[in-house]
């Protein structure tokens, strides 16, 4: 397997050509049909389902920008038909001619976006004159996505180097606990973040030692480490923090810092550039991981170790050292994700505060095909899905949708992704396989 | 430590392990009874340290550690002693309640241990059975929920005569779990989707589906304010073994029966042999004419059914009403039970009893000494961690023996 195949987002032209031709007709047509189905869902179910003549209204301003974006008003039903038709056309083209792999990815992206927009239009038509504070929805989505993005990056760093990280949840929980504790004791949030990084890194180190030195099965290990983290943080919370909340569990919270100039750009400004330090750190990490993984020596080595450790060893890469480093770094990043839950959002720690977010992050890694951009996109999508739960409970939709179904979405989507209904996802070749020299 | 770990375990490994044994070796690494006992000891020692940390007196004493170091130790050991003594009282025998002379005074703690152990044994068997066929069933949580929902629904919505109602409800719960587990098996067989990923995702799908059901009229109990289901008919409840004052119920027999079934299946039946062959080496099994894909489906159906039974004992044995936390962490604890039980029927029963005792004791400990019950989770995780890494335990206790972990290496996502 050539290296370029693992990174189809940036292949050389020739390789891309070969790869795209290799897509089997069955898969090509399957993906096309899936797109057509999504398009028909948009047009027929959501389009006909929304009340005729109603307009969908979206607010996209909060007042602090250079100029105010006017409220966007579109006819709900017509927009649904148009968006649905676009997706159907994309699907037909895919089924008959086939986009390349890269093209298909864009087509899927457009289909998801079209579906979300149609869904939003449909949801406003339940009662007259409803409008959605779109900026608020996006801000909340981003807020909910940040821990998922960080967790996904953590998982990615481990798995790209060949160590399965099912323990993201535990690392997050430990980081959340440490962030709250240290931030509260020292009354300095930056040291709190540092504490979260260190404790998350320690959890990563545990994973690394047992997986790499003692060759424990990594899935079992991840599950056990999650139980350990849940038990330990719960125990220490009850035993230490709870009786003495004032000194041990009441850290301050990071406040939003508006970036001058940038934060006043309409829509984008308040959304992206009026955030906490942890969010800015997340932006930096996304770029750093993406660049590092594909453009630096570190990344090349990490990927080599994850795909074919023996070959990497043969050319002189210290496989175990690369894995240790990546897993510990990954743990630290997951710890940061945890810190975002406590000192980045609500302050104090409470039992099981991560409540399954580590597993959604794992889902994002898989759904995003073990690539940083894909994982971030998946995390954003999943964050948006959780925000939809809140939105749907605050507006009247034509048909009541229980928020539980929205909550299921990330998991169902991931099952579809691994089942290969829209292109099979493939893990790094040596992911989960311990390396023993000799 | 480094030396023992890096030495390949070839020289003094036991001769030619059997098929199933080899699979477990891949999952757990090689270890023996001594390592198991020592892992327990090591975990209890760490647990003891945590008890001492949680004890306010010990913490006060440690603040003047350098003036009177002895105080810290005496207070610490007193706390540890009290904690573990309370655990013993909660799990095995409590002289205070026994002094009342009633039956529940004598047998109450044992009843609690058995009650807690019942779903753990069933869950452990579920995970263990899947291990033997080379699959990880991380989906115990979802399967337990599915089992509890099916059994609970039959329990409160249908009205059948005595005895028949219980039987029908138990079967319904088993089917519910089997469907949920079988789904993961089907996905693996048909599309190659890794069962770890699908079972984890199905857990959360089940959790949200349960949340939805608990908000629906007909399922939710009136007056519809709380997320709790209708009560199961008394006819459908598993009967209590020691009278109504103690919680231990006929679910225990279900668990023991399931253990016997698993033992028979794996050691005496053709199907079990095929499943073990798939677990030992799927390629060899395929070459020998065994339908590997069908094996995946069958084993996940069976594993799901066993986990579903765990859900049955939760709803029909103890709770009587379905709540959002009907799973009570058993889905994940079952994995630790299966690992401690080395995926064999008999040892899994013992492991379930041990963890059931820890759970029962942990609750007593919390009420007696205020030490948080979460300690049990920590001890459980540590026991499994130490057992899974025999090299570490040998290094801690300076034992000789094969170092390292499993020499046969685990499979990854693509395996």
């Amino acid at each position: 397997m050539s290296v370029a195949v693992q990174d189809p987002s940036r292949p050389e032209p020739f390789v891309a050509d070969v790869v795209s031709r290799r897509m089997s007709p069955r898969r090509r047509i399957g993906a096309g049909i899936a797109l057509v189905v999504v398009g028909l869902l948009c047009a027929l179910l959501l389009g006909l389902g929304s009340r005729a003549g109603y307009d969908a209204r979206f607010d996209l301003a909060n007042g602090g920008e250079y100029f105010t974006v006017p409220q966007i008003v579109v006819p709900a039903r017509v927009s649904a038909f148009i968006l649905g038709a676009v997706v159907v056309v994309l699907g037909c083209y895919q089924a008959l001619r086939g986009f390349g792999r890269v093209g298909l990815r864009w087509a899927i992206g457009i289909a998801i976006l079209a579906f979300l927009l149609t869904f939003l239009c449909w949801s406003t038509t339940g009662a007259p004159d409803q409008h959605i504070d779109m900026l608020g929805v996006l801000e909340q989505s981003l807020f909910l996505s940040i821990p998922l993005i960080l967790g996904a990056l953590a998982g990615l760093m481990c798995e790209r180097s060949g160590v399965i990280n099912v323990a993201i949840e535990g690392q997050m929980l430990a980081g959340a606990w440490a962030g709250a504790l240290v931030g509260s004791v020292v009354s300095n949030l930056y040291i709190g973040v540092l504490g979260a990084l260190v404790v998350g890194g320690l959890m990563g180190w545990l994973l690394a030692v047992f997986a790499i030195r003692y060759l424990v099965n990594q899935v079992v290990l991840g599950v056990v480490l999650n139980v350990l983290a849940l038990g330990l943080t719960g125990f220490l919370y009850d035993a230490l923090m709870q009786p003495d909340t004032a000194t041990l569990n009441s850290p301050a919270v990071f406040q939003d810092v508006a970036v001058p100039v940038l934060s006043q750009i309409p829509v984008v400004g308040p959304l992206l550039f009026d955030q906490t330090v942890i969010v800015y750190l997340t932006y930096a990490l996304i770029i750093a991981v993406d660049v590092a993984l594909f453009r630096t020596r570190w990344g090349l080595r990490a990927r080599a170790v994850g795909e074919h450790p023996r070959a990497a060893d043969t050319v002189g890469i210290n496989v175990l050292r690369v894995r240790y480093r990546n897993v510990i770094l990954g743990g630290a990043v997951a710890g940061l994700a945890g810190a975002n839950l406590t000192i980045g959002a609500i302050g104090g720690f409470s039992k099981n505060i991560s409540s399954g977010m580590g597993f959604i992050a794992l889902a994002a890694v898989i759904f995003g095909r073990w690539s940083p951009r894909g994982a971030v996109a998946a995390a954003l999508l999943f964050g948006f899905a959780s925000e939809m739960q809140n939105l749907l409970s605050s507006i009247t939709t034509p048909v009541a949708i229980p928020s539980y179904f929205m909550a299921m979405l990330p998991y169902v989507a991931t099952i579809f992704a691994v089942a290969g209904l829209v292109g099979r996802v493939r893990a790094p070749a040596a992911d989960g396989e311990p390396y023993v020299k000799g | 430590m480094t030396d023992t770990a890096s030495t390949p375990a070839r020289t003094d490994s036991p001769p030619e392990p059997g098929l199933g044994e080899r699979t477990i070796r891949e999952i757990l690494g090689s270890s023996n009874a001594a390592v198991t006992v020592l892992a327990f000891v090591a975990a209890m020692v760490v647990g003891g340290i945590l008890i001492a940390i949680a004890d306010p007196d010990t913490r006060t004493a440690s603040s003047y550690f350098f003036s009177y170091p002895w105080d810290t130790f005496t207070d610490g050991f007193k706390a540890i002693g009290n904690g573990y003594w309370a655990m013993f009282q909660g799990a095995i025998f409590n002289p205070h309640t026994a002094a009342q002379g009633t039956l529940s005074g004598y047998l109450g703690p044992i009843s609690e241990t058995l009650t807690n152990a019942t779903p753990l044994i069933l869950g452990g068997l579920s995970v263990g059975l899947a291990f033997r066929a080379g699959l990880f069933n991380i989906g115990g949580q979802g399967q337990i929920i599915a089992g509890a929902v099916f059994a609970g629904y039959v329990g409160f919505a249908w009205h059948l005569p005595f005895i028949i109602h219980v039987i029908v409800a138990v079967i319904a719960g088993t089917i519910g779990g089997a469907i949920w587990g079988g789904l993961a098996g089907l996905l693996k067989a048909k599309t190659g989707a890794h069962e770890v990923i699908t079972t984890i995702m199905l857990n959360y799908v089940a959790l949200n589906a349960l949340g939805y059901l608990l908000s629906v009229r007909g399922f939710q109990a009136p007056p519809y304010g709380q997320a709790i289901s209708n009560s199961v008919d008394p006819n459908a409840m598993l009967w209590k073994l020691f009278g109504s004052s103690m919680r231990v119920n006929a679910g225990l027999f279900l668990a023991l029966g399931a253990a016997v079934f698993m033992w028979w299946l794996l050691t005496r039946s053709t199907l079990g042999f095929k499943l073990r062959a798939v677990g030992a080496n799927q390629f060899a099994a395929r070459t020998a004419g065994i339908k590997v894909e069908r094996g995946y489906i069958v084993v996940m159906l069976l594993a799901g059914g066993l986990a579903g039974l765990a859900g049955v004992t939760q709803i029909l044995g103890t709770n009587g009403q379905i709540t959002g936390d009907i799973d009570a962490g058993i889905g994940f604890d079952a994995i630790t039970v299966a690992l401690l039980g080395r995926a064999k029927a008999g040892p899994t029963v013992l492991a379930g009893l041990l963890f059931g005792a820890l759970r029962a004791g942990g609750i007593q400990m919390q009420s007696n000494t205020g030490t948080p019950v979460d300690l049990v989770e920590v001890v459980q995780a540590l026991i499994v961690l130490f057992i899974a890494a025999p090299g570490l335990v040998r290094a801690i206790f300076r034992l000789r023996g094969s170092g390292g972990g499993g020499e046969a290496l685990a499979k990854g996502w693509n395996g």
Side-chain angles (χ1 to χ4, degrees):
Chain A
M1 169 137 297
S2 73
V3 174
V5 177
Q6 289 124 32
D7 175 26
S9 60
R10 239 165 306 191
E12 294 155 49
F14 174 70
V15 178
D17 202 35
V18 171
V19 170
S20 63
R21 262 192 223 142
R22 243 188 235 155
M23 190 180 221
S24 70
R26 198 173 144 211
R27 182 151 293 166
R28 190 192 75 212
I29 294 169
I33 291 173
L35 284 174
V36 170
V37 169
V38 171
L40 291 178
L41 274 179
C42 291
L44 300 180
L45 193 70
L46 296 176
L48 295 179
S50 51
R51 298 194 189 160
Y54 275 49
D55 287 333
R57 298 158 199 276
F58 302 106
D59 295 320
L60 277 168
N62 71 356
E65 306 90 332
Y66 286 122
F67 60 89
T68 310
V69 181
Q71 189 180 49
I72 296 176
V73 183
V74 291
R77 201 175 246 195
V78 177
S79 324
F81 288 151
I82 294 173
L83 288 168
V86 168
V87 178
V88 169
V89 168
L90 286 175
C92 290
Y93 183 83
Q94 164 66 24
L96 298 175
R97 298 288 307 277
F99 298 100
R101 295 226 162 173
V102 182
L104 179 58
R105 204 150 300 174
W106 280 101
I108 291 173
I110 291 170
I112 291 175
L113 195 66
F115 182 80
L116 294 177
L117 286 175
T118 333
F119 183 80
L120 284 172
C121 288
W122 169 82
S123 65
T124 60
T125 64
D129 293 325
Q130 280 194 119
H131 59 96
I132 295 179
D133 175 16
M134 200 57 206
L135 189 60
V137 168
L138 292 176
E139 277 177 343
Q140 274 301 311
S141 304
L142 182 67
F143 173 77
L144 293 170
S145 301
I146 292 297
L148 303 181
I149 292 175
L150 288 169
L153 289 177
L156 205 75
M157 288 164 83
C158 299
E159 305 217 352
R160 270 299 178 133
S161 70
V163 179
I164 290 177
N165 189 356
V166 183
I168 302 173
E169 174 85 5
Q171 293 156 355
M172 270 170 101
L173 205 50
W177 176 84
L181 180 73
V182 177
S184 186
V185 170
V186 191
S187 342
N188 180 333
L189 290 177
Y190 293 96
I191 297 181
V193 167
L194 195 67
L197 287 171
V198 169
V199 172
L202 270 176
M203 287 295 294
W205 174 78
L206 263 185
L207 177 68
V209 169
F210 281 96
I212 298 169
R213 177 183 286 174
Y214 293 108
L215 312 179
V216 178
N217 180 287
Q218 292 162 13
V219 173
V220 165
L221 182 59
V223 171
V224 173
L225 285 178
N226 284 336
V227 175
L228 182 70
L230 185 64
L232 209 52
T233 55
F235 179 86
L236 292 172
Y237 171 77
D238 272 352
L240 302 177
M241 287 167 115
Q242 183 76 339
D244 196 4
T245 309
T247 52
L248 296 181
N249 194 22
S250 36
V253 177
F254 275 112
Q255 299 301 316
D256 289 349
V257 183
V259 179
V261 184
L262 286 178
S263 67
Q264 277 152 315
I265 303 170
V267 188
V268 178
L271 179 59
L272 295 181
F273 299 109
D274 188 9
Q275 296 284 4
T276 64
V277 175
I278 297 185
V279 178
Y280 297 129
L281 208 55
T282 307
Y283 299 160
L285 272 171
I286 294 171
I287 296 167
V289 171
D290 189 60
V291 170
L293 210 49
F294 297 110
R295 294 262 185 268
T296 66
R297 182 182 298 182
W298 171 83
L300 184 64
R301 289 183 172 180
R303 284 183 294 138
V305 164
E307 296 288 347
H308 200 318
R310 180 131 305 158
D313 195 7
T314 310
V315 296
I317 299 171
N318 188 334
V319 173
L320 302 188
R321 191 195 292 160
V322 169
R323 286 190 171 171
Y324 265 108
R325 197 167 49 194
N326 276 25
V327 175
I328 292 169
L329 276 177
V333 171
L336 182 64
N340 190 49
L341 296 177
T342 50
I343 54 181
I346 54 165
F349 177 82
S350 58
K351 273 189 179 183
N352 195 15
I353 193 171
S354 53
S355 63
M357 271 186 232
F359 286 110
I360 306 190
L362 178 68
V365 173
I366 297 160
F367 194 67
R369 296 157 176 258
W370 284 269
S371 90
R373 292 174 189 190
V376 170
L380 286 170
L381 183 67
F382 294 168
F384 186 77
S386 6
E387 168 56 17
M388 289 311 287
Q389 297 173 49
N390 305 334
L391 181 72
L392 289 180
S393 60
S394 68
I395 61 170
T396 316
T397 52
V399 180
I401 294 186
S403 63
Y404 295 104
F405 290 127
M406 274 290 150
M408 272 181 211
L409 204 78
Y411 311 111
V412 176
T414 306
I415 292 174
F416 276 94
V418 289
L421 294 188
V422 191
R424 173 75 54 83
V425 295
R426 217 191 113 267
D431 201 3
E433 290 171 15
Y435 180 67
V436 181
K437 208 167 175 162
Chain B
M1 215 147 96
T2 322
D3 287 340
T4 46
S6 57
T7 317
R10 281 187 193 137
T11 44
D12 49 356
S13 58
E16 278 310 297
L19 273 182
E21 184 64 19
R22 208 180 307 149
T23 321
I24 300 316
R25 206 168 272 254
E26 281 177 21
I27 293 163
L28 290 174
S30 52
S31 73
N32 52 29
V35 170
T36 308
V37 172
L38 291 174
F40 183 76
V41 170
M44 291 304 266
V45 168
V46 177
I49 294 169
L50 285 173
I51 292 178
I53 291 174
D55 179 51
D57 289 346
T58 313
R59 280 211 306 279
T60 318
S62 70
S63 62
Y64 54 84
F65 183 80
F66 291 104
S67 331
Y68 296 101
W70 203 236
D71 276 14
T72 308
F73 288 112
T74 49
D75 283 349
F77 280 114
K78 208 164 75 189
I80 295 169
N82 288 341
Y84 283 145
W85 173 230
M87 266 194 155
F88 180 83
Q89 288 176 348
I92 294 166
F93 182 75
N94 188 342
H96 302 298
T97 54
Q100 297 163 359
T102 56
L103 188 64
S104 67
Y106 281 106
L107 295 179
I110 289 285
S111 156
E112 278 306 295
T113 293
L114 294 176
T115 310
N116 280 300
T118 302
L120 287 174
I121 292 171
L122 284 164
L125 292 173
S126 161
V127 176
L129 186 62
F131 272 158
R132 297 299 282 270
L135 298 186
F136 289 104
N137 181 15
I138 314 287
Q141 189 183 24
Q143 293 147 17
I144 288 170
I145 289 172
V149 165
F150 273 57
Y153 184 78
V154 170
F156 64 70
W158 297 7
H159 300 287
L160 301 172
F162 188 60
I163 305 249
I164 295 174
H165 202 172
V166 184
I167 294 171
V168 173
V170 168
I171 291 171
T174 315
I175 291 172
I179 290 173
W180 213 249
L183 208 53
L186 189 72
L187 282 168
K188 181 163 183 96
K190 295 290 174 200
T191 70
H194 199 287
E195 77 281 0
V196 170
I197 299 170
T198 53
T199 49
I200 289 176
M201 299 307 145
L202 283 171
N203 281 344
Y204 286 96
V205 174
L207 210 53
N208 283 302
L210 176 62
Y212 169 69
L213 284 175
L214 291 177
S215 68
V216 175
R217 302 283 159 101
F219 203 93
Q220 193 182 11
Y224 310 112
Q226 282 179 302
I228 188 163
S229 79
N230 290 309
S231 293
V232 171
D233 268 8
N235 264 355
M237 292 294 281
L238 293 162
W239 55 93
K240 302 263 188 278
L241 295 182
F242 298 163
S244 57
S245 61
M246 281 173 280
R247 295 201 303 156
V248 64
N249 56 71
L252 183 64
F253 293 128
L254 282 178
L256 296 177
V260 173
F261 166 74
M262 178 168 148
W263 170 83
W264 173 83
L265 181 77
L266 287 173
T267 58
R268 295 287 181 274
S269 74
T270 321
L271 177 64
F273 175 77
K274 286 181 183 170
L275 295 180
R276 283 189 293 137
V278 170
N281 186 336
Q282 52 159 318
F283 303 106
R286 201 187 303 274
T287 312
I290 294 170
K291 293 189 178 66
V292 174
E293 276 71 27
R294 189 188 290 174
Y296 289 150
I297 298 177
V298 169
V299 80
M300 284 308 291
L301 279 171
L302 289 171
L306 285 168
L309 267 179
V312 167
T313 62
Q314 280 288 96
I315 176 71
L316 302 183
T318 47
N319 292 22
Q321 280 177 298
I322 306 173
T323 52
D325 60 349
I326 188 75
D327 153 63
I330 294 161
F332 281 103
D333 283 359
I335 298 165
T336 57
V337 173
L339 292 169
L340 183 61
R342 311 191 63 75
K344 287 181 182 166
T348 301
V349 172
L350 295 179
L353 286 172
L354 174 67
F355 286 168
L358 281 177
R359 275 192 172 211
I363 294 163
Q364 182 78 31
M365 178 182 68
Q366 181 157 27
S367 70
N368 275 23
T369 66
T371 312
V373 70
D374 306 69
L375 182 76
V376 173
E377 294 280 303
V378 179
V379 170
Q380 230 166 288
L382 287 175
I383 292 175
V384 174
L385 213 49
F386 287 137
I387 286 176
L392 178 64
V393 173
R394 292 208 174 89
I396 291 173
F397 291 98
R398 304 193 177 279
L399 288 188
R400 291 186 57 205
S402 54
E407 62 275 25
L409 303 180
K411 304 180 196 88
W413 286 136
N414 297 314

